Amino acid sequence: MIQFTPSKRMTQMQSSSTLEVLQKAEALRRTGKDVIDLGPGEPDFNTPDNVKQAAHRAIDENFTRYTPAAGTAELKQAICEYLFRQTGTRYSSSEVIASAGGKQTIFNAIVTLVDIGDEVLIPSPYWVTFPEVVIFAGATPVYIDTEPNAFKLTAEMVAEKLTPKTRLLIINSPNNPSGRIIDKTEFEQIVRLAAGRGIYVLSDECYYKFTYPPHEPFSAASLPEELRRYVLISGSLSKTYAMTGWRIGYALGRSEWIAEMVKLQSHSTSNPTSIAQKAAIEALTGQQDSIEMMLAEYGRRREYLISALNQIEGLECVLPEGAFYAFPSIKNLLNGKIKTSADFAQYLLDEAYVAVTPGSAFGTEGYIRISYATSLETLKKGVERIAECCHKLLYQ
Ligand SMILES: Cc1ncc(COP(=O)(O)O)c(C=O)c1O
């Protein structure tokens, strides 16, 4: 039999470690184990009814054909209006593209900008997909370790990593996995620094709506025009409207960059699903109370979870300011046998059937990511089991 050999490009790509956690947990569950899954970055809420109804209507009205590759004019307008309501900045139709989720947006953005040999700055911890796409595009990820500053990215940290090869900086605030946000003034300084050197910035704002008081959402769309020319905003309806399976994301930025993204998309997936586009219009323009409800619930879970984690001997967790993840340090619990965050995550799964994601998946060793996009009851059960495991590690 002839052996299948994938392209060199694919041999360099790792499969998504967050999805791996999901698969491991699922495999255990199939054997009848009571698994507590704190792995997925997916809202446990249902898509709001008004959004679902819009999709039903789209099918009934046979809105089931190809649309323009960048999305319908109506959806693009809804995205621009949404951004205008949030930030007071108007983007035009040629400055927006809708894609099959934020993931496709980010893929399009990176692949259309960077060349072989370029460097792309990625603050760590980072969302797993960023470096994989950068490597796929033939560029080199250059990491900025934010751990020494409690995961807060600063312009100074960025400045230290700039070289003549730097082409792009990726920022993600609120951050997955740390939950930290970049404060408004620092955000502006970072972009000013990049723009001053002709470096582009990809601002992944998929958790934009999920910030906890006193923190407020900040979008790069609020930056002055001369800075916005260097920024591409990536957004997603996945988390904001509990629409992960619908696959709708979008990008906003200068029209030349967007045009290249449309070209690429037209030859890969074409348009995002016509039905999901109708649902997305309803999500963006219809009643918005589901966001408030979800945010309030995430807020309650955050209060409980962070204080409960900090009461467990050996764990230390900074307060996330946004998103729905806790990122506690497990450094005090590592020993001769459990040496890494991956060992620790495996130990939790084997001993207590609790699934979490190791920090190494996000480029930061010595931490685990716990998602609180799950019910308070499940969180409490999970925390009890984690506490027992930590106790065993310290005293057995
Ligand atoms: C930081 C970040 N960006 C982008 C995405 C992409 O989400 P989607 O492709 O569902 O829009 C995710 C999903 O987990 C994420 O955590």
Side-chain angles (χ1 to χ4, degrees):
M1 254 236 287
I2 301 170
Q3 220 191 336
F4 173 74
T5 338
S7 64
K8 285 200 188 69
R9 209 181 294 120
M10 284 316 294
T11 57
Q12 290 173 337
M13 189 181 277
Q14 311 291 319
S15 52
S16 166
S17 24
T18 42
L19 292 182
E20 267 173 29
V21 175
L22 210 72
Q23 282 159 5
K24 276 187 190 168
E26 202 41 52
L28 263 180
R29 199 174 277 133
R30 274 200 300 274
T31 66
K33 300 287 186 293
D34 170 26
V35 177
I36 305 271
D37 194 354
L38 306 178
E42 171 159 41
D44 55 321
F45 302 102
N46 292 328
T47 302
D49 282 340
N50 61 318
V51 176
K52 291 194 275 196
Q53 281 155 13
H56 284 292
R57 277 197 304 277
I59 297 174
D60 292 342
E61 290 164 10
N62 293 309
F63 192 74
T64 52
R65 299 192 163 85
Y66 293 131
T67 74
T72 61
E74 197 189 358
L75 175 57
K76 291 201 290 181
Q77 194 187 341
I79 294 167
C80 294
E81 286 295 327
Y82 171 81
L83 249 283
F84 177 70
R85 286 199 307 276
Q86 314 293 330
T87 64
T89 300
R90 279 216 181 273
Y91 284 84
S92 69
S93 162
S94 61
E95 295 172 320
V96 57
I97 175 176
S99 301
K103 223 172 221 183
Q104 190 186 16
T105 306
I106 288 161
F107 182 88
N108 287 344
I110 295 172
V111 168
T112 53
L113 182 80
V114 306
D115 270 315
I116 294 172
D118 284 345
E119 290 180 357
V120 177
L121 297 182
I122 305 177
S124 60
Y126 48 73
W127 181 51
V128 292
T129 293
F130 298 143
E132 298 300 338
V133 179
V134 168
I135 293 167
F136 180 84
T140 307
V142 174
Y143 301 108
I144 307 174
D145 181 9
T146 63
E147 190 193 0
N149 195 34
F151 307 124
K152 289 278 211 183
L153 182 72
T154 64
E156 207 183 324
M157 290 174 180
V158 175
E160 279 169 18
K161 296 283 182 173
L162 292 176
T163 77
K165 289 184 180 166
T166 312
R167 177 77 166 139
L168 175 69
L169 162 69
I170 302 179
I171 49 184
N172 170 220
S173 171
N175 176 270
N176 173 10
S178 74
R180 303 292 264 176
I181 65 173
I182 303 170
D183 301 319
K184 192 176 160 210
T185 38
E186 199 66 46
F187 202 121
E188 181 159 344
Q189 275 175 25
I190 292 169
V191 178
R192 198 170 285 286
L193 171 73
R197 307 269 194 111
I199 293 163
Y200 289 92
V201 178
L202 171 58
S203 177
D204 180 353
E205 302 184 0
C206 83
Y207 297 99
Y208 171 77
K209 277 291 188 181
F210 299 125
T211 54
Y212 307 101
H215 302 284
E216 284 184 358
F218 180 76
S219 167
S222 306
L223 292 170
E225 218 265 308
E226 78 270 15
L227 297 186
R228 266 189 288 117
R229 294 179 53 73
Y230 288 90
V231 181
L232 190 96
I233 293 172
S234 165
S236 169
L237 274 70
S238 289
K239 325 280 174 173
T240 316
Y241 297 100
M243 289 178 70
T244 45
W246 298 77
R247 312 307 302 133
I248 295 286
Y250 55 87
L252 296 139
R254 56 193 294 168
S255 55
E256 305 99 306
W257 194 349
I258 295 288
E260 296 303 320
M261 292 170 64
V262 176
K263 201 198 310 173
L264 175 63
Q265 185 160 297
S266 75
H267 291 297
S268 54
T269 56
S270 295
N271 55 276
T273 310
S274 59
I275 299 152
Q277 288 192 53
K278 282 285 188 192
I281 294 165
E282 175 60 30
L284 293 166
T285 59
Q287 61 201 51
Q288 301 291 305
D289 45 355
S290 59
I291 302 180
E292 294 308 315
M293 182 279 288
M294 286 191 277
L295 185 58
E297 184 54 32
Y298 289 140
R300 273 192 286 279
R301 296 172 187 177
R302 180 186 79 134
E303 293 301 309
Y304 159 74
L305 181 65
I306 309 307
S307 104
L309 290 176
N310 280 319
Q311 279 165 34
I312 299 175
E313 196 181 345
L315 288 187
E316 279 168 25
C317 190
V318 295
L319 190 65
E321 298 157 330
F324 39 65
Y325 307 106
F327 199 56
S329 163
I330 51 152
K331 286 182 184 165
N332 296 329
L333 295 161
L334 298 178
N335 58 32
K337 255 168 78 190
I338 308 286
K339 293 193 185 92
T340 63
S341 56
D343 294 344
F344 187 87
Q346 191 63 50
Y347 178 77
L348 284 186
L349 199 57
D350 295 342
E351 286 287 310
Y353 308 129
V354 176
V356 299
T357 315
S360 53
F362 309 101
T364 302
E365 196 37 271
Y367 293 81
I368 53 169
R369 187 190 78 174
I370 298 176
S371 164
Y372 50 92
T374 189
S375 74
L376 204 50
E377 194 193 342
T378 308
L379 276 179
K380 285 184 177 165
K381 243 164 101 177
V383 166
E384 265 172 39
R385 294 191 197 178
I386 292 173
E388 272 173 37
C389 284
C390 294
H391 190 268
K392 269 195 214 160
L393 279 176
L394 284 174
Y395 296 106
Q396 271 185 13

